[in-house]
Amino acid sequence: MSPEEVKARGWKELDIILITGDAYVDHSSFGTAIIGRVLEDAGFRVGIIAQPRWDSPEDFRKLGQPRLFFSVSAGNTDSMVSNLTAGLKPRDKDAYSPEGKTGLRPNRAVIIYSNRIKEAFPDTPIVLGGIEASLRRFAHYDYLSDKVRQSILADAPADLVVYGMGELQIVEIAKRLQAEEDIRDIRDIPGTAWKMEVKAWKELKEQNKKTAEDATEFFREYLEIPSFSEVSQDKATFANAFRTYFLELNPVTGKGVVQPHPKTVIVQNRPMRPLTEAELDHVYELPFTGETHPFYPEPIPALEMVKFSLTTHRGCFGGCAFCAITQHQGRMIASRSIESVLREAKKLTEKPDFKGTINGVGGPTANMYAMGCKNWEKKGACLDKACLYPRICSALDTSHKKLLELMQRLRDLHGVKHVFTGYGVRYDLALEDEEYLEELCTHHISGQLRVAPEHFSKRVTDVMSKPGREVYEKFAGKFAVLNKKCGKNQYIVNYLMSGHPGCTLEDMIEMAEYVRDHGGYTEQVQDFTPTPMTVSTCMYYTGLDPFTGKTVYVARDKKEKAMQRALMHYRSPANYELVYEALEKAGRLDLVGNAHNCLIRRKSKFY
């Protein structure tokens, strides 16, 4: 991170410099740390500039000019999600900054960092990566500006975007630049997107009309979607374009996708394959220190949450409409071996500040480890149906056997007192394996299990592609029975959401009544925030389901969104006026009064 550290290594220059909007933490839960360690393992000299000042190029010069390229990431989250609330107000803390301090990364960090690099080193290649670049690789709806923006590759002076999980791509790029290949000629790596000149694209299309052999081959491997100009002017066209590139995210059958922009043409190559078990083991067993860089005297809150946790797998076949994991990590699960996870756990027990508790085991979910489908190897995840919605597919292997073995062996490790799974359990899957659910209740919950039904109105959970409340109720019932059986007094904490596409005031009132009648009043509430490349964001912007073309209700008015949110916390005196107004607007003033079923009391003149 400093010239002094470069000299201490005996290096005269760096091969690659990684720029990140997060503080630098050398832990495998942080993308920059993984990419840095993977490149180092491949033989490259890597430097990291974390949270640089962006008002001038000076911070970007502090490690000199890299011999091969700069790689730019906003950090573990999109910079605007890190900086702003769902109401577009500045957040009061940033988990990825020292002591949670705010203001250390700009909005649109990837674009701004790239511009500063270009000022400092005009001829050095720039490769974009991380969640912000990955999910903004096509024309996308931008919540902050409330409009469709160009691909991040059209806005930033960069050469390539690495999308998805980037280990294989970044090493291949580094090796080819090492071999003195021009960055402009690196156009065939899966999991990357690149820029073609508008003139070259027009010529290619003209050649294709004449069935020229090379052009015909290109159009066998790539699909053209509507241009930026078209999707920014027509919402139905935006939804159709979204559907096309969404269905090409399959690394087995997916094609490349081309989207013309006014001054460039964005070309996305087919997705990169998931890592094999051996490759994933190797990545997570690289020599991470698991600590913040010594540069920081202050703690980084995000590390405190994951320092004693273990990543077991990548990918998620849950398919929740509001989640971008499908578009970033994919639906196919890539799992580590049990032995690899155990080796990492043993290293945790050797840390001086380890107190005996492993506080998280899993990936995007806690209980998809080692699961798969018999069809994945030949055709990848199905394009015509989801794995879990509206019901669990019969082709899916939902056995928790390997996960149960892993958890038991972790419990048996010397120095380990507790192995907790307090969040991330997909409860519809857990219901498929009562042995897992009983083991969970007996050994792996520290009093509370946080699950995410998100809503209790069927109309809304259908739009979300989430299981309905009958599945949740079955799970809650089993949970209560098994806790009684094992003599534990443990509780479910629900994560709920307001303002999601498809959700009306009537749906929120239904949810409030359900919470009133069944308990589970919770502070774990979020207002839906449109983030790039999710199905829900497409619906929010267009008002259309991109897969059926049907109209979807969207609460856009700030007042209605506030009323929806207030109904989640109807007991709060601060929300009284909003809740009353919502009930009045919905024609449900029967829920105002002193009766047992009322949500709020009626104010008297003496109130």
Side-chain angles (χ1 to χ4, degrees), residues 133-141 148-153 193 225 228 241 245-246 249 256-259 261 266-268 533:
S134 179
L135 299 183
R136 294 176 181 267
R137 59 190 185 265
F138 290 118
H140 56 279
Y141 172 70
V148 176
R149 284 183 64 97
Q150 296 189 116
S151 162
I152 200 165
L153 198 52
I225 60 174
F228 167 76
Y245 64 67
F246 185 93
L249 291 171
V257 179
V258 181
Q259 185 176 53
H261 281 57
I266 305 302
V267 184
Q268 174 189 281
M533 209 177 266

Side-chain angles (χ1 to χ4, degrees), residues 244-314:
T244 300
Y245 64 67
F246 185 93
L247 293 176
E248 298 305 326
L249 291 171
N250 185 324
V252 180
T253 64
K255 292 185 176 183
V257 179
V258 181
Q259 185 176 53
H261 281 57
K263 295 183 179 180
T264 191
V265 177
I266 305 302
V267 184
Q268 174 189 281
N269 294 338
R270 63 183 302 168
M272 178 57 82
R273 64 171 176 82
L275 296 183
T276 64
E277 179 182 271
E279 289 169 335
L280 207 56
D281 286 353
H282 183 73
V283 167
Y284 282 91
E285 292 189 72
L286 291 171
F288 299 97
T289 65
E291 306 289 342
T292 59
H293 189 276
F295 172 81
Y296 304 103
E298 315 94 336
I300 310 299
L303 175 62
E304 303 309 306
M305 293 185 274
V306 299
K307 187 172 185 178
F308 298 115
S309 66
L310 298 166
T311 298
T312 58
H313 65 281
R314 290 178 176 176

Side-chain angles (χ1 to χ4, degrees), residues 398-416:
T398 59
S399 171
H400 291 68
K401 183 178 179 181
K402 196 168 180 181
L403 177 57
L404 285 167
E405 179 188 349
L406 170 62
M407 299 298 273
Q408 181 181 344
R409 292 182 67 181
L410 286 170
R411 295 199 308 267
D412 292 343
L413 276 180
H414 177 72
V416 173

Side-chain angles (χ1 to χ4, degrees), residues 349-462:
T349 67
E350 296 165 357
K351 286 183 170 290
D353 53 345
F354 180 71
K355 305 299 183 186
T357 298
I358 296 173
N359 63 2
V361 179
T365 61
N367 60 322
M368 288 185 186
Y369 174 69
M371 291 186 181
C373 173
K374 59 187 179 183
N375 298 320
W376 283 355
E377 186 174 344
K378 291 184 178 179
K379 66 175 188 178
C382 297
L383 301 180
D384 58 345
K385 60 181 177 180
C387 299
L388 299 182
Y389 176 83
R391 62 191 63 83
I392 297 173
C393 178
S394 59
L396 195 67
D397 176 8
T398 59
S399 171
H400 291 68
K401 183 178 179 181
K402 196 168 180 181
L403 177 57
L404 285 167
E405 179 188 349
L406 170 62
M407 299 298 273
Q408 181 181 344
R409 292 182 67 181
L410 286 170
R411 295 199 308 267
D412 292 343
L413 276 180
H414 177 72
V416 173
K417 299 175 184 176
H418 306 289
V419 182
F420 289 137
T421 304
Y423 58 92
V425 172
R426 183 80 190 207
Y427 55 81
D428 48 352
L429 280 177
L431 284 170
E432 296 288 297
D433 195 326
E434 188 161 330
E435 182 184 1
Y436 167 73
L437 194 47
E438 185 167 355
E439 284 279 292
L440 185 70
C441 293
T442 305
H443 299 290
H444 302 298
I445 301 173
S446 61
Q448 294 182 342
L449 177 66
R450 299 187 290 278
V451 298
E454 304 295 356
H455 217 286
F456 295 118
S457 164
K458 185 178 188 311
R459 180 163 54 187
V460 181
T461 54
D462 280 347

Side-chain angles (χ1 to χ4, degrees), residues 408 493 594:
Q408 181 181 344
V493 175
N594 297 323

